[in-house]
Amino acid sequence: MTDEIQKTENKMTDTPTGKLLFMMSWPAILSMIIQAMYNIVDTIFVSYVGEQAVAAVTYIFPINMLMISFAVGTGVGINSLISRRLGARRYDEANDAASHGYMLGVCNWIAFALFGIFFAGAFVRLFTQTPYIVENATLYLRITSIGCLFIMIQVINEKLLQATGNMILPMVCSLTGGIMNIILDPLFIFGIGPFPEMGVTGAAVATVLGQLLSFILGTALVFGREHAVKITFKGFRPKKTILKDIYGVAAPAILMQAIGSVMNFGMNMIIGKISETAIAVFGVYFRLQSFIFMPVIGINQGSLPILGFNYGARNKERFMSTYKKSILAAFIIMGIGFIIFQLFPRELLSIFNASDEMYEIGEHALRLISICFIPAAYGVTTSNVFQATGHGTLSLWSSLIRQLVGILPLAFILTRYYGLDGAWASFALAEVLGTIYLISAFIWLYKKEIRDL
């Protein structure tokens, strides 16, 4: 057993769960907040180009979400498998999982690059024929899809490090890329100094360059240091058993996150028929809510290797203790977010150079949608437990109910009677349906596997 493996085991088995969850989560939370920040900064700068510019980046947001879904979903599958194999002391399989991750990252990139090259324009024209929006949204989507190689590989780097208990280095990578994106945004959007004025396209260029920097740093950290997992490409051949184990969690995780992309696609279709200003409001909401959801996702990232390790090691007490503390932290964060959205919707919208019409639509929208934050705290955290135990399908059904089966039919029906208010209210109603399912699914999993650990 190497020193790095021993250190990982000691941390996962001996550190008090509350302290360990904090140690593992705060770097991921900070990383997620920075990611949310540069998404918001992108939109803030774009909003000063014009309201149509915000609509342009909102229309292509589902595809950018889909890219992240494949990157993060694949990474979650690898993280879960590595954590469980380390907990079970099956080190060769943990190494194989890490090596397969990079191959899968390249495959994901090829698929999205081809889509961006050949189908970006056709996708944008599904929503709008406005020339300015079509031109700028198409170019933005083409640049980010061709350049997504960097985020695909960087997420693999981060998940590999997180699976071994190292949360600091992934945070450093995300911070570096996020800060670079924030710095480059105004330079490329407005043409400051020697930089060309590129408008909406400049935001895409800044995003890809920020991802490139994270990729370079992450790759150097993974291959330039010793870790509990060893990666080798010499004589590498894909193994069906490893791919099956990875995608047992990764496929549902990809689909689970991709459901959010489909939901955005559907909501753009529903809302866009009523008002393009409402599309801009919807885009602004998603940037703002990321400041609330991203810290909870950071807690999930911190708890996933702890849950997976203790599940593999059959330590029920530490497993359940981590789960309960994760839920408590998620409820606190979501509760704070709910209060902010209820009390200060106008101030939040003012950050994005809102027009009078955006204020009129947006204030009510933010108050109605944010009701979903409270039940979502339980939903997001409990879905993570399913992933940690290798039951990704249960998480998939959760997302289907919360983000697709619930929201889109409800929004479609309610907008016919209540207009935009019906669309906004569908978020909270769908979360209630998801919570009912999650409680039932967790009880089933607890009785079947966790109770007898």
Side-chain angles (χ1 to χ4, degrees):
M1 184 183 297
T2 67
D3 290 342
E4 288 299 320
I5 293 175
Q6 186 63 57
K7 288 178 183 177
T8 298
E9 286 204 4
N10 291 342
K11 179 193 292 186
M12 293 295 189
T13 57
D14 297 336
T15 307
T17 55
K19 180 180 179 181
L20 182 59
L21 182 61
F22 176 77
M23 289 168 53
M24 297 284 283
S25 296
W26 78 259
I29 290 172
L30 183 56
S31 176
M32 291 292 99
I33 289 174
I34 293 298
Q35 182 179 331
M37 184 178 295
Y38 75 71
N39 284 334
I40 284 180
V41 169
D42 257 6
T43 309
I44 289 172
F45 286 127
V46 166
S47 71
Y48 282 89
V49 176
E51 197 171 283
Q52 284 191 340
V54 177
V57 297
T58 301
Y59 278 128
I60 56 90
F61 190 57
I63 299 300
N64 284 331
M65 283 185 67
L66 197 60
M67 293 177 200
I68 300 299
S69 298
F70 272 81
V72 173
T74 302
V76 165
I78 293 162
N79 183 317
S80 176
L81 181 58
I82 291 173
S83 299
R84 284 181 280 135
R85 294 300 180 259
L86 289 176
R89 299 191 175 188
R90 294 158 65 178
Y91 305 120
D92 288 341
E93 292 182 28
N95 295 339
D96 278 343
S99 300
H100 278 69
Y102 292 95
M103 176 199 73
L104 297 175
V106 172
C107 291
N108 289 339
W109 164 66
I110 291 172
F112 281 102
L114 291 174
F115 176 86
I117 292 169
F118 295 109
F119 302 108
F123 176 80
V124 174
R125 284 190 288 272
L126 288 174
F127 302 100
T128 181
Q129 299 299 319
T130 304
Y132 176 88
I133 296 177
V134 170
E135 179 184 352
N136 284 275
T138 299
L139 196 51
Y140 189 108
L141 180 54
R142 192 162 286 154
I143 291 169
T144 53
S145 58
I146 293 172
C148 76
L149 171 65
F150 309 125
I151 190 65
M152 293 294 178
I153 301 300
Q154 177 51 25
V155 170
I156 300 300
N157 289 335
E158 292 183 4
K159 296 301 180 184
L160 187 153
L161 293 168
Q162 290 170 358
T164 62
N166 190 329
M167 307 300 290
I168 301 295
L169 296 183
M171 177 197 69
V172 171
C173 295
S174 292
L175 277 173
T176 304
I179 291 170
M180 175 60 71
N181 190 353
I182 290 170
I183 293 171
L184 292 178
D185 260 332
L187 301 181
F188 281 106
I189 291 173
F190 303 118
I192 298 173
F195 295 88
E197 183 179 348
M198 302 176 70
V200 174
T201 306
V205 172
T207 295
V208 171
L209 290 177
Q211 292 170 352
L212 171 61
L213 184 59
S214 291
F215 159 79
I216 292 171
L217 181 58
T219 303
L221 290 172
V222 167
F223 290 94
R225 296 167 59 96
E226 185 178 349
H227 306 283
V229 174
K230 294 184 178 180
I231 304 157
T232 178
F233 299 117
K234 186 176 180 180
F236 173 81
R237 289 185 179 181
K239 296 180 181 178
K240 289 183 179 179
T241 55
I242 298 295
L243 291 172
K244 182 179 178 181
D245 285 339
I246 289 173
Y247 277 106
V249 173
I254 290 169
L255 289 172
M256 183 175 66
Q257 298 208 37
I259 287 166
S261 176
V262 175
M263 184 272 289
N264 269 264
F265 178 90
M267 290 298 284
N268 282 344
M269 297 288 284
I270 293 169
I271 296 170
K273 292 179 180 179
I274 301 174
S275 164
E276 282 201 337
T277 299
I279 288 290
V281 168
F282 185 54
V284 164
Y285 161 74
F286 256 88
R287 270 63 173 187
L288 289 170
Q289 64 88 33
S290 65
F291 256 113
I292 311 302
F293 278 82
M294 286 298 190
V296 177
I297 293 172
I299 292 171
N300 279 359
Q301 290 187 5
S303 66
L304 182 63
I306 305 172
L307 292 167
F309 186 97
N310 285 288
Y311 178 77
R314 302 190 65 79
N315 191 327
K316 173 187 172 183
E317 182 180 352
R318 289 179 65 81
F319 181 95
M320 288 302 299
S321 176
T322 302
Y323 171 51
K324 291 174 183 177
K325 290 180 172 67
S326 299
I327 288 182
L328 177 61
F331 270 115
I332 291 171
I333 292 169
M334 290 294 202
I336 293 171
F338 171 74
I339 292 170
I340 291 172
F341 271 63
Q342 293 298 312
L343 296 181
F344 307 109
R346 189 173 186 85
E347 288 76 7
L348 293 173
L349 290 166
S350 68
I351 300 171
F352 298 91
N353 192 33
S355 65
D356 289 341
E357 189 176 0
M358 277 190 72
Y359 280 125
E360 183 180 349
I361 295 174
E363 288 186 62
H364 199 45
L366 296 189
R367 288 195 175 104
L368 271 177
I369 301 177
S370 62
I371 296 171
C372 78
F373 290 176
I374 304 302
Y378 178 79
V380 174
T381 308
T382 302
S383 291
N384 191 54
V385 171
F386 300 150
Q387 292 174 345
T389 56
H391 292 280
T393 304
L394 295 178
S395 288
L396 172 60
W397 279 108
S398 166
S399 288
L400 277 169
I401 293 170
R402 292 170 53 232
Q403 299 188 63
L404 199 62
V405 176
I407 288 179
L408 290 184
L410 285 170
F412 180 77
I413 294 169
L414 293 177
T415 52
R416 292 173 174 265
Y417 298 98
Y418 304 103
L420 287 172
D421 283 352
W424 312 139
S426 66
F427 284 85
L429 294 173
E431 286 292 347
V432 172
L433 294 176
T435 299
I436 295 170
Y437 161 78
L438 282 161
I439 291 172
S440 302
F442 182 78
I443 291 172
W444 174 84
L445 178 64
Y446 183 85
K447 290 180 178 179
K448 182 175 184 290
E449 295 183 9
I450 298 173
R451 181 172 58 189
D452 297 325
L453 285 179

